[in-house]
């Protein structure tokens, strides 16, 4: 752009500022889900029994597996930041690759979970759900909206990490210049953080 | 964690310990669901979720090692969301 | 400024030749000043559209029955008027135009923290504007829900809601990007010596605003997303037939949209806090009190959303709580008014156009604020809810508050932005006509509301005819004033006389640099040692 050909933008890099920016962005994401958590808590309060019943439809096992997957992936991306600081490029790439693989696994799981539900005729607007109680309609509405939005964030996170991996591979990110890696890690932990709350709210209220 | 280094490098071991703690809490919250029934199930599940997220925030997201300013902001945001939920419930609880 | 060798930094930002030429030198520029002007020009265009819609609505209301448009057209007019004015002009207005242009300069920085993100936010803004406007031309007719998109009507109406809602959703990202940028800029890029308590009040106001932008906008984002899902997938969240609660929609919508009122008014207060000390030639009275009340408004303002819903059927407990909190939020606003008036006390005032705008702001903002107190009282609200009184109240705040501050800021910083001075005579005449028209337009609506005229109807009973004639006449007068003001400003950008670097004898940093500023604002980053309004 017009100003890039010189000076101050690259002159002094501000890692701290980039991190502050990332955190503020994370706050907006938290509040985005926060709005849905408000909806969830209100309808859960108004329809306790129906939510309880509807949750039986979800498999605690699948939910637990996905929680474990996300927690492990959160650890690997956190470790990759230590690895780059120890100047271990290879390990950094491996750890990031593992994170991406686990994220993919999470999505595969989610795919089978969703398609299972949909093949049973449980999806917003389906005839089976139309005949269900209102609480159950709301439960599944929330289930699809919240896990769907979460899955979308997984995909965005994967794209972000994938992009950063390229930068690591090309040595654009090194032991003294890894703020983008740190920020992609922060984003990934956010995804994890939201799941930590989604999991008990949907899978553990039976 | 004891080394005063700048920037801080977290040891791999620390992360492994945190992961073990997180997995333990996850399994506990699942197990608790099978034991109790009643209002305490939700409370326990949410308490464990809060503990887990605190661990993630402090260690994985480096709040413990960063400037205090970040922790304050995060605390503020969670406080804000909680207050908004409480005020919304002033309507639903008493309707 | 030192006239040394003509380097790129010696040319004004208006003349600077970058990699691109012509229009592209603007729409691809990451210079915060050019982005500020991009926003200004875009808003000028949108404002003319929305103001025209407003004028046409007032002409419709000049007589009972159908005058120039039918009910459905009227509905879609007030919807588009509301969406455009709120989401495209008043909410982004002051931060995006004057915040972008002056925040870095006033804190002694060369640009914002993330210049590319800044440009991106303008592009997102344009995209959002196009999507919103497309709702008028495609699908099954223009939206007719009003700017609040209340459920369940917003997913039952056959009109073309999706683009309007999606557009508002997209605009949220632009708003968040600007807020995020400003917070980081203020935290990281203040000039050496500029402690928090040495920061001018406009940046302080932008700081409070930015936090609301960042923390409130996501809630409306997800709410609008739910409306989209409701329309496309029947998710049932706000549909009583599917178990949803439409009042929950109102909660979520106002959790954003009430703080949004403070997104509009806080920077306006910041502008007034800049103009008043400059023309009073006096340091501002109670600097700290203004800073604290800015943050207090930002904070308490987050918890008063329910006062838009007093008649919705909320619980009694919620009603009392929201009413009390509403009265509380008036305190910091009143503190500011007292501080501004106290600043004028025993000052050697230089009466210039920007100062007159600030005075008019005080007048209309007082009326707007006090009528807000009337609406904040539960019993009065039941009577006045959804009447013309509410319309008068929020136009006094949003147009009277933010709008007056916007034009005040434009007249105050104009010589700095364009390096030329407007014709002060015409500016004052325009202001006088505009101010008269404004009050003639909106004051009768308080009365109309009290005697029971509902808002959002194209028709009314004969009893309301008299005040409506006055009000519609006021609208025409006000538009005439606007035309004079805007024509004068546009003409002067080319033909006005060359302005000095500090025509108003201001003390904040923007007056210490050239008019118009050079590309990087400062040859050398200044070291700040004094308070911002140091006239002693």
């Amino acid at each position: 752009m017009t100003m890039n050909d010189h000076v101050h933008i690259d002159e002094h890099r501000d890692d701290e500022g980039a991190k502050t920016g990332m955190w503020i962005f994370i706050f907006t994401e938290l509040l985005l889900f926060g709005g849905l958590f408000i909806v969830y808590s209100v309808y859960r309060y108004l329809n306790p029994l129906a939510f309880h019943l509807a949750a039986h439809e979800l498999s605690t096992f699948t939910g637990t597996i996905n929680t474990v997957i996300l927690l492990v992936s959160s650890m690997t991306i956190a470790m990759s930041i230590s690895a780059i600081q120890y100047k271990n490029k290879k390990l950094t790439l491996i750890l990031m690759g593992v994170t991406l693989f686990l994220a993919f696994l999470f999505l595969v799981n989610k795919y089978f979970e969703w398609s299972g539900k949909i093949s049973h005729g449980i999806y917003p607007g389906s005839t089976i759900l139309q005949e269900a109680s209102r609480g159950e309609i709301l439960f599944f509405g929330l289930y699809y909206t919240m896990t769907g939005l979460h899955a979308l964030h997984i995909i965005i996170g994967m794209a972000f990490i994938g992009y950063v991996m390229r930068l690591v591979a090309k040595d654009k990110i090194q032991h003294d210049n890894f703020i983008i890696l740190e920020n992609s890690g922060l984003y990934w932990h956010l995804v994890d953080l939201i799941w930590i709350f989604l999991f008990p709210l949907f899978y553990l209220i039976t | 964690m004891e080394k005063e280094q700048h920037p801080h490098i977290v040891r791999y071991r620390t992360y492994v310990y945190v992961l073990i703690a997180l997995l333990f809490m996850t399994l506990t919250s699942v197990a608790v669901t099978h034991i109790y029934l009643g209002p305490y199930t939700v409370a326990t599940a949410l308490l464990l979720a809060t503990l887990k997220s605190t661990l993630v925030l402090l260690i994985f997201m480096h709040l413990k090692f960063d400037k205090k300013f970040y922790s304050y902001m995060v605390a503020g945001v969670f406080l804000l969301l909680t207050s908004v939920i409480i005020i919304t419930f002033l309507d639903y609880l008493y309707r | 400024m030192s006239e040394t060798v003509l380097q790129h930094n010696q040319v004004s930002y208006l003349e600077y030749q970058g990699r691109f030429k012509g229009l592209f030198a603007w729409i691809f520029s990451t210079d915060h000043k050019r982005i500020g002007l991009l926003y200004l020009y875009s808003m000028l265009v949108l404002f003319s559209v929305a103001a025209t819609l407003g004028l046409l609505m007032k002409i419709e209301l000049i007589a009972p029955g159908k005058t120039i448009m039918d009910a459905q057209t009227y509905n879609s007019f007030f919807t588009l008027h509301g969406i455009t004015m709120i989401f495209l002009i008043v909410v982004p207005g002051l931060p995006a135009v004057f915040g972008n242009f002056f925040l870095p300069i006033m804190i002694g920085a060369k640009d914002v923290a993330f210049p590319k993100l800044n440009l991106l936010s303008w592009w997102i803004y344009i995209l959002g504007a196009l999507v919103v406007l497309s709702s008028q031309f495609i699908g099954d007719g223009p939206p007719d829900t009003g700017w609040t998109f209340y459920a369940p009507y917003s997913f039952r109406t056959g009109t073309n809601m999706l683009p309007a809602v999606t557009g508002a959703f997209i605009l949220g990202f632009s708003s968040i990007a600007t807020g995020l940028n400003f917070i980081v800029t203020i935290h990281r890029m203040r000039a050496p010596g500029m402690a928090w308590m040495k920061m001018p009040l406009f940046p302080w106001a932008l700081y409070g605003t930015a936090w609301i932008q960042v923390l409130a906008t996501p809630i409306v984002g997800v709410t609008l997303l739910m409306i989209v899902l409701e329309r496309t997938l029947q998710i049932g969240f706000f549909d009583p037939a599917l178990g949803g609660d439409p009042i929950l929609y109102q909660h979520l919508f106002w959790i954003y949209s009430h703080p949004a009122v403070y997104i509009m008014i806080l920077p306006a207060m910041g502008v007034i806090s800049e103009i008043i000390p400059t023309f009073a030639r006096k340091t501002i009275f109670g600097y700290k009190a203004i800073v604290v009340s800015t943050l207090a408004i930002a904070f308490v303002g987050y918890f008063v959303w329910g006062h838009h819903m007093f008649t919705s059927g909320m619980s009694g407990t919620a009603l009392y709580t929201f009413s009390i909190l509403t009265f509380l939020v008036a305190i910091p606003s009143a503190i500011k008014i007292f501080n501004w008036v106290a600043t004028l006390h025993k000052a050697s005032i230089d009466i210039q156009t920007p100062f007159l705008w600030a005075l008019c702001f005080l007048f209309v903002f007082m009326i707007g604020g006090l009528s807000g107190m009337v609406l904040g009282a539960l019993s009065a609200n039941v009577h006045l809810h959804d009447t013309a009184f509410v319309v008068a109240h929020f136009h006094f705040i949003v147009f009277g508050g933010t709008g007056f501050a916007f034009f005040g800021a434009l007249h105050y910083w104009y010589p700095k932005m364009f390096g030329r001075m407007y014709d002060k005579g015409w500016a004052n005449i325009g202001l006088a006509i505009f101010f008269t028209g404004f009050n003639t337009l909106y004051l009768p609506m308080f009365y109309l509301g009290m005697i029971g005229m509902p808002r959002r109807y194209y028709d009314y009973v004969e009893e309301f005819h008299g005040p409506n004639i006055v009000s519609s006449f006021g609208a025409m007068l006000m538009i005439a004033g606007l035309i004079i003001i805007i024509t004068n400003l546009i003409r002067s950008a080319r033909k006005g006389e060359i302005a000095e670097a500090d025509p108003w004898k201001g003390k904040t940093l923007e007056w210490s640099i050239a008019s118009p500023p050079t590309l990087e604002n400062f040859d050398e980053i200044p070291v700040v040692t004094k308070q911002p309004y140091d006239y002693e």
Side-chain angles (χ1 to χ4, degrees):
Chain A
M1 324 269 156
T2 43
M3 307 204 34
N4 279 359
D5 16 7
H6 57 156
V7 300
H8 63 272
I9 296 159
D10 348 84
E11 193 176 66
H12 49 54
R13 198 179 83 206
D14 184 9
D15 287 354
E16 201 66 36
K19 194 192 269 181
T20 311
M22 191 65 207
W23 268 107
I24 293 170
F25 178 66
I26 284 176
F27 297 155
T28 68
E29 294 277 23
L30 281 175
L31 285 157
L32 188 82
F33 279 93
L36 284 165
F37 279 114
I38 294 173
V39 177
Y40 176 91
S41 45
V42 167
Y43 290 144
R44 168 93 184 262
Y45 169 76
L46 295 176
N47 312 283
L49 215 60
F51 269 51
H52 185 74
L53 285 173
H56 274 294
E57 295 288 330
L58 301 182
S59 150
T60 313
F61 181 71
T62 320
T64 314
I65 292 292
N66 262 350
T67 309
V68 173
I69 289 176
L70 268 195
L71 289 175
V72 176
S73 76
S74 232
M75 181 192 71
T76 50
I77 193 80
M79 280 180 165
S80 77
I81 296 165
S82 297
I84 196 97
Q85 282 171 294
Y86 288 130
K87 302 180 194 172
N88 192 340
K89 177 179 166 186
K90 197 175 157 207
L91 186 60
T92 310
L93 287 173
I94 291 174
L95 285 165
M96 294 179 84
V98 171
T99 310
L100 279 185
F101 174 72
L102 289 170
F104 179 70
L105 220 57
F106 179 96
L107 287 179
V108 170
N109 245 338
K110 190 98 271 170
Y111 170 78
F112 282 115
E113 201 188 350
W114 270 38
S115 50
K117 293 276 151 319
I118 292 171
S119 68
H120 282 93
I122 302 177
Y123 52 90
S126 73
T127 40
I128 292 185
L129 215 51
Q130 297 287 349
E131 286 157 17
S133 77
R134 289 172 170 186
E136 283 169 287
I137 301 177
L138 290 173
F139 180 88
F140 283 105
L142 280 162
Y143 164 76
Y144 279 107
T145 313
M146 292 179 91
T147 58
L149 196 61
H150 181 258
L152 181 69
H153 281 77
I154 297 255
I155 294 168
I156 298 170
M158 285 172 77
F160 193 179
I161 293 174
Y163 166 72
V164 176
M165 249 178 110
R166 244 173 69 99
L167 294 181
V168 176
K170 286 204 254 164
D171 287 325
K172 293 262 176 68
I173 292 176
Q174 286 184 329
H175 66 99
D176 56 352
N177 181 15
F178 55 89
I179 186 66
I180 305 181
L181 174 58
E182 237 185 320
N183 280 348
S184 70
L186 282 177
Y187 190 84
W188 193 250
H189 298 310
L190 160 85
V191 173
D192 189 20
L193 214 57
I194 290 163
W195 184 258
I196 286 178
F197 281 96
L198 287 183
F199 171 60
L201 291 180
F202 283 105
Y203 296 88
L204 296 184
I205 59 167
T206 46
Chain B
M1 277 175 280
E2 50 281 286
K3 320 180 252 194
E4 259 307 297
Q5 213 182 343
H6 211 78
H8 189 99
I9 306 183
V10 186
R11 293 205 222 123
Y12 299 126
R13 233 190 303 161
T14 316
Y15 287 133
V16 176
Y17 294 152
V18 171
L19 179 69
I20 292 170
L22 288 171
L23 291 177
F24 176 74
M25 282 192 272
T26 308
L27 295 181
T28 313
S29 60
V30 176
V32 164
T33 330
H34 291 293
I35 302 167
Y36 293 115
L37 276 171
Y40 294 108
T41 323
V42 188
T44 323
L46 281 181
L47 183 72
L48 283 168
T50 313
L51 284 177
K52 279 161 75 181
S53 53
T54 315
L55 260 186
V56 170
L57 283 163
L58 284 178
I59 311 294
F60 283 176
M61 297 175 94
H62 291 193
L63 280 184
K64 188 166 178 245
F65 319 109
D66 274 333
K67 291 186 184 163
K68 281 282 155 291
F69 155 70
Y70 293 103
S71 305
Y72 295 143
M73 287 200 301
V74 173
V77 168
F78 276 100
L79 207 66
L80 179 76
L81 189 58
T82 322
S83 319
V84 168
I85 293 181
I86 290 173
I87 294 185
T88 311
F89 266 85
L90 285 181
D91 178 12
Y92 288 93
L93 283 177
Y94 298 99
R95 209 184 262 177
Chain C
M1 294 286 93
S2 53
E3 251 76 25
T4 46
V5 204
L6 196 79
Q7 296 166 346
H8 54 255
N9 199 29
Q10 250 51 50
V11 187
S12 95
Y13 78 101
L14 291 168
E15 289 154 10
Y16 173 76
Q17 228 359 289
R19 204 187 318 160
F20 298 100
K21 289 204 169 105
L23 183 65
F24 292 115
W26 284 82
I27 60 173
F28 292 131
S29 168
T30 53
D31 180 0
H32 65 103
K33 300 180 285 294
R34 288 197 173 190
I35 294 172
L37 289 192
L38 284 178
Y39 270 112
L40 179 65
Y41 299 144
S42 335
M43 279 175 200
L44 193 66
V45 173
L46 291 162
F47 180 76
S48 349
V49 175
T52 310
L53 291 175
L55 179 67
L56 291 173
M57 275 162 14
K58 287 316 286 188
I59 293 175
E60 165 59 37
L61 289 177
I62 206 163
K66 183 180 169 183
T67 316
I68 55 166
M69 61 181 92
D70 57 22
Q72 186 61 24
T73 315
Y74 187 82
N75 292 348
S76 60
F77 271 29
F78 72 65
T79 303
L80 187 64
H81 173 81
I83 297 174
T84 315
M85 284 293 193
I86 297 282
F87 291 111
L88 286 162
I89 293 158
V90 192
V91 166
L94 283 161
V97 177
F98 298 103
N100 263 327
F101 201 109
F102 286 103
L103 172 68
I105 303 182
M106 291 177 89
I107 62 170
K110 290 181 172 179
D111 207 319
V112 292
F114 308 113
K116 285 181 192 163
L117 181 68
N118 203 13
L119 177 63
L120 182 68
S121 83
W122 179 75
W123 277 100
I124 298 174
Y125 172 85
I126 292 298
L127 177 69
L130 291 177
V131 174
V132 165
L133 292 177
S134 75
S135 68
Q136 303 300 307
F137 308 109
I138 57 172
D140 310 315
D144 56 351
T145 58
W147 74 279
T148 51
F149 309 124
Y150 264 18
Y153 188 60
S154 54
F155 50 87
R156 291 274 167 74
T157 173
T159 56
N160 198 16
M161 289 309 299
L162 279 181
V165 175
T166 316
F169 177 76
I170 294 172
L171 288 168
F173 286 99
S174 167
S175 192
I176 287 173
T178 305
L180 188 156
N181 222 333
F182 285 3
I183 295 175
V184 179
T185 307
I186 292 173
H187 271 279
R188 303 295 305 166
M189 298 180 75
R190 278 171 290 137
M194 181 169 282
W196 283 95
M197 283 298 163
K198 284 197 180 116
M199 197 159 71
L201 288 164
F202 184 55
W204 259 117
L206 289 171
Y207 185 68
T209 310
W211 272 112
I212 311 178
Q213 283 179 303
V214 163
L215 296 179
T217 316
I219 306 261
V220 81
V222 78
T223 310
L224 296 175
L225 199 64
M226 285 186 252
I227 288 286
V228 171
L229 292 176
E230 194 80 71
R231 269 187 91 87
T232 51
L233 299 173
Q234 288 137 39
I235 223 109
F237 290 173
F238 308 124
D239 188 347
L242 296 175
D245 178 13
I247 298 180
L248 185 59
Y249 172 82
Q250 298 189 17
H251 275 297
L252 289 167
F253 181 80
W254 290 112
I255 287 174
Y256 163 74
S257 296
H258 194 77
V261 175
Y262 296 99
I263 296 180
M264 306 169 197
I265 203 67
L266 275 180
M269 291 168 158
V271 167
I272 302 303
S273 306
E274 294 297 330
I275 293 179
I276 287 197
T278 298
F279 294 94
R281 302 273 186 274
K282 211 175 139 204
T283 187
I284 191 132
F285 180 86
Y287 170 86
K288 276 184 190 161
I290 295 189
V291 170
V292 172
S293 61
T294 301
L295 299 179
I297 291 176
F299 179 74
V300 185
Y302 211 102
F303 302 110
V304 299
W305 74 82
H307 67 217
H308 296 268
M309 308 158 56
F310 281 163
T311 57
S312 69
M314 266 195 310
S315 80
T317 318
L319 292 177
Y320 302 136
T321 315
F322 281 125
S323 184
I324 290 169
L325 288 171
T326 303
F327 280 101
L328 278 184
V329 83
I331 297 172
S333 311
I335 289 177
K336 291 191 174 214
I337 299 263
F338 293 135
N339 279 316
W340 292 323
V341 176
T343 308
L344 296 177
H345 181 62
K346 287 192 177 167
S348 41
I349 297 170
D350 180 18
I351 297 180
Q352 298 276 3
T353 315
F355 182 77
L356 291 173
W357 277 100
L359 283 189
C360 294
F361 169 93
L362 288 184
F363 179 82
V364 292
F365 184 68
M366 289 271 287
I367 295 177
L370 291 173
S371 62
M373 293 293 90
V374 176
L375 289 168
L378 288 172
S379 50
N381 187 282
V382 173
H383 179 64
L384 296 170
H385 198 90
D386 264 343
T387 66
F389 189 94
V390 178
V391 182
H393 158 68
F394 73 69
H395 279 91
F396 261 92
I397 290 286
V398 173
F399 196 6
T402 312
F404 276 59
F406 191 94
F407 283 109
L410 201 52
H411 286 89
Y412 179 55
W413 281 313
Y414 187 91
K416 180 59 62 186
M417 296 165 88
F418 298 98
R420 286 175 187 273
M421 186 59 87
Y422 45 83
D423 184 320
K424 290 177 188 172
W426 278 110
N428 291 345
I429 294 170
L431 169 60
I433 298 174
F434 174 77
F435 182 70
T436 317
F438 179 90
N439 287 296
T440 319
L441 163 57
Y442 294 115
L443 281 176
M445 292 177 76
F446 281 122
Y447 174 69
L448 282 168
M450 277 190 282
I451 60 173
M453 179 171 153
R455 66 192 281 201
R456 291 181 168 172
Y457 281 85
Y458 83 121
D459 190 11
Y460 49 83
V461 291
E462 187 54 43
E463 283 87 334
F464 303 144
H465 196 177
N468 265 309
I469 297 176
V470 178
S471 176
S472 298
F473 173 69
M476 295 172 208
L477 200 62
M478 188 180 83
I479 295 289
L482 270 178
I483 291 172
I484 296 176
I485 292 164
I486 293 172
T487 315
N488 182 26
L489 290 177
I490 292 176
R491 212 191 67 93
S492 305
R494 288 186 179 281
K495 297 189 178 160
E497 50 182 292
I498 303 289
E500 332 159 28
D502 186 7
W504 315 121
K505 309 281 177 286
K507 291 285 182 187
T508 37
L509 284 176
E510 76 270 30
W511 303 114
S512 70
I513 59 172
S515 293
T518 55
L519 178 69
E520 295 184 347
N521 307 335
F522 301 95
D523 291 340
E524 268 173 46
I525 294 295
V527 177
V528 180
T529 51
K530 293 176 182 170
Q531 291 295 318
Y533 313 102
D534 187 38
Y535 282 94
E536 310 310 325

